[in-house]
Amino acid sequence: MLETVVKLNPNFGTHVRKNSIVAAKKCEDTLFKYNLHSSPHPSAATNRPRQKYKKTADQTHKKKHFFWPKKKSFLIHPEKYLKNYQPYDYYLCFDVEATCERGKFMEFPNEIIEFPVVLLDGATFRVVDEFHAYVRPTKNPILSQFCIELTGISQCVVDVSPTFEEVLALFGIWLMERGLFIEYSCAFITDGPFDIRDFIEKQCRQSKILRPIYFWQPWIDIRRMFSEYYACERRNIPGMLEKLNMKFRGREHSGIDDARNIGRIAKKMVEDGCTFSANASLMTPYFWKRKMCV
């Protein structure tokens, strides 16, 4: 039976990678076991038992996760998490502003004109950094009067601003410099699913670029979480602040002010005992079946 196997496999052992010492040794042992090797075994010259080959540093190195790292700050400061543990090292409050027309919502080909991010420490939910940039629209570069009045962004501001691709590159550098999504685990916090699910998708299609991988990760819909945690109807940012006996700071429908107030709401919810775990993702039938106007 062994001869049949050898005849059916004349290149017995050649499928093993030649550069692998461990694989070569296994092949050599197999050949000696069935007396198919022409030379004596290397360990036969001595009475010492064969030494096991140690794995090199490259073989023993565990591959590092890129977008799902372990919670590092818990190991450094565990006392911060004993009261109310949060699953992420940092949270990014995200609320974009886009071009719009009166009476039109998702059927309008919106383009992002403001890209704000407020970074919160996952232990204290205090603001530790911000990223803010205005974006120049390319498909419809002229803002409507309704959009200017709603967002407070003037035409002269967007005319001298970088494009969405350039802002995305700057944001990627900002993330890398802080180790976000690489060394530290992170999650976006948005007011509703629209910012990441709809506006980012529309803008990426219009710019003809792929959606960045960090926008594929599950995120936190604070409007939904607020409604479930306090057992009330879903509210916008001013409504959630009113429920918490807080006042809106800044200008409504200003992206950076909305993101800052989202951080204030999140901090208050954490103080009340809420755990900020991801509750929204793109893996829904609605995301894949809907038709978008771009």
Side-chain angles (χ1 to χ4, degrees), residues 20-121:
S20 175
I21 299 176
V22 178
K25 274 297 176 183
K26 289 182 179 180
C27 178
E28 187 180 37
D29 294 342
T30 305
L31 294 175
F32 270 100
K33 182 178 180 180
Y34 297 107
N35 296 323
L36 299 177
H37 206 286
S38 58
S39 60
H41 198 280
S43 62
T46 61
N47 295 326
R48 294 178 301 175
R50 293 182 58 196
Q51 296 180 355
K52 294 183 179 180
Y53 285 86
K54 296 182 179 180
K55 292 184 178 181
T56 61
D58 295 336
Q59 293 172 332
T60 57
H61 177 67
K62 187 177 180 181
K63 188 175 180 181
K64 186 176 181 180
H65 294 281
F66 185 67
F67 275 92
W68 294 105
K70 295 182 179 179
K71 191 171 179 62
K72 183 177 180 180
S73 58
F74 174 75
L75 303 176
I76 301 175
H77 303 289
E79 67 280 357
K80 295 182 180 180
Y81 297 89
L82 296 179
K83 183 178 180 181
N84 189 12
Y85 174 80
Q86 299 297 330
Y88 295 97
D89 290 317
Y90 291 96
Y91 293 87
L92 299 100
C93 301
F94 184 63
D95 192 280
V96 300
E97 298 298 328
T99 57
C100 53
E101 287 283 357
R102 188 183 300 274
K104 297 181 180 180
F105 185 48
M106 296 312 299
E107 63 273 13
F108 184 79
N110 311 94
E111 292 182 81
I112 294 176
I113 56 177
E114 186 178 5
F115 193 99
V117 176
V118 175
L119 182 64
L120 304 179
D121 184 0

Side-chain angles (χ1 to χ4, degrees), residues 43-294:
S43 62
T46 61
N47 295 326
R48 294 178 301 175
R50 293 182 58 196
Q51 296 180 355
K52 294 183 179 180
Y53 285 86
K54 296 182 179 180
K55 292 184 178 181
T56 61
D58 295 336
Q59 293 172 332
T60 57
H61 177 67
K62 187 177 180 181
K63 188 175 180 181
K64 186 176 181 180
H65 294 281
F66 185 67
F67 275 92
W68 294 105
K70 295 182 179 179
K71 191 171 179 62
K72 183 177 180 180
S73 58
F74 174 75
L75 303 176
I76 301 175
H77 303 289
E79 67 280 357
K80 295 182 180 180
Y81 297 89
L82 296 179
K83 183 178 180 181
N84 189 12
Y85 174 80
Q86 299 297 330
Y88 295 97
D89 290 317
Y90 291 96
Y91 293 87
L92 299 100
C93 301
F94 184 63
D95 192 280
V96 300
E97 298 298 328
T99 57
C100 53
E101 287 283 357
R102 188 183 300 274
K104 297 181 180 180
F105 185 48
M106 296 312 299
E107 63 273 13
F108 184 79
N110 311 94
E111 292 182 81
I112 294 176
I113 56 177
E114 186 178 5
F115 193 99
V117 176
V118 175
L119 182 64
L120 304 179
D121 184 0
T124 61
F125 270 69
R126 294 179 180 176
V127 178
V128 294
D129 206 349
E130 291 182 352
F131 177 88
H132 184 220
Y134 293 102
V135 186
R136 183 176 78 251
T138 56
K139 187 174 182 179
N140 297 310
I142 306 301
L143 303 181
S144 64
Q145 187 62 31
F146 172 75
C147 181
I148 295 175
E149 295 175 357
L150 180 68
T151 62
I153 303 174
S154 61
Q155 184 67 46
C156 60
V157 172
V158 297
D159 287 342
V160 297
S161 299
T163 62
F164 180 73
E165 298 93 319
E166 296 170 342
V167 170
L168 215 56
L170 295 174
F171 181 61
I173 296 173
W174 186 82
L175 291 175
M176 291 179 61
E177 289 176 347
R178 289 151 184 80
L180 304 177
F181 292 106
I182 302 175
E183 186 177 359
Y184 299 100
S185 59
C186 305
F188 285 97
I189 304 178
T190 62
D191 177 29
F194 315 107
D195 297 88
I196 294 179
R197 187 191 66 187
D198 299 321
F199 291 122
I200 291 295
E201 179 67 18
K202 276 188 175 184
Q203 186 63 62
C204 288
R205 291 186 184 184
Q206 291 174 357
S207 301
K208 297 181 180 180
I209 61 175
L210 296 176
R211 173 189 285 262
I213 191 170
Y214 45 80
F215 281 133
W216 281 100
Q217 309 302 323
W219 73 94
I220 297 163
D221 180 355
I222 196 172
R223 183 179 296 193
R224 174 183 172 186
M225 181 174 288
F226 187 94
S227 174
E228 294 175 352
Y229 188 73
Y230 293 106
C232 61
E233 70 281 358
R234 297 195 180 187
R235 308 179 177 207
N236 56 9
I237 297 176
M240 289 185 283
L241 289 170
E242 183 181 0
K243 176 73 174 178
L244 298 174
N245 297 322
M246 302 168 67
K247 293 184 179 180
F248 191 96
R249 293 181 183 175
R251 187 186 191 281
E252 292 187 25
H253 298 292
S254 168
I256 188 64
D257 290 336
D258 286 347
R260 290 168 180 167
N261 282 279
I262 289 174
R264 294 175 60 214
I265 296 171
K267 187 174 185 297
K268 179 61 176 177
M269 292 179 67
V270 169
E271 292 174 355
D272 291 344
C274 182
T275 301
F276 271 70
S277 300
N279 62 353
S281 70
L282 298 177
M283 303 306 169
T284 58
Y286 174 79
F287 175 76
W288 299 105
K289 293 181 180 179
R290 76 196 192 288
K291 295 181 180 180
M292 304 186 69
C293 181
V294 294

Side-chain angles (χ1 to χ4, degrees), residues 13-21 23-24:
T14 57
H15 65 284
V16 182
R17 292 184 304 169
K18 296 181 180 179
N19 296 332
S20 175
I21 299 176

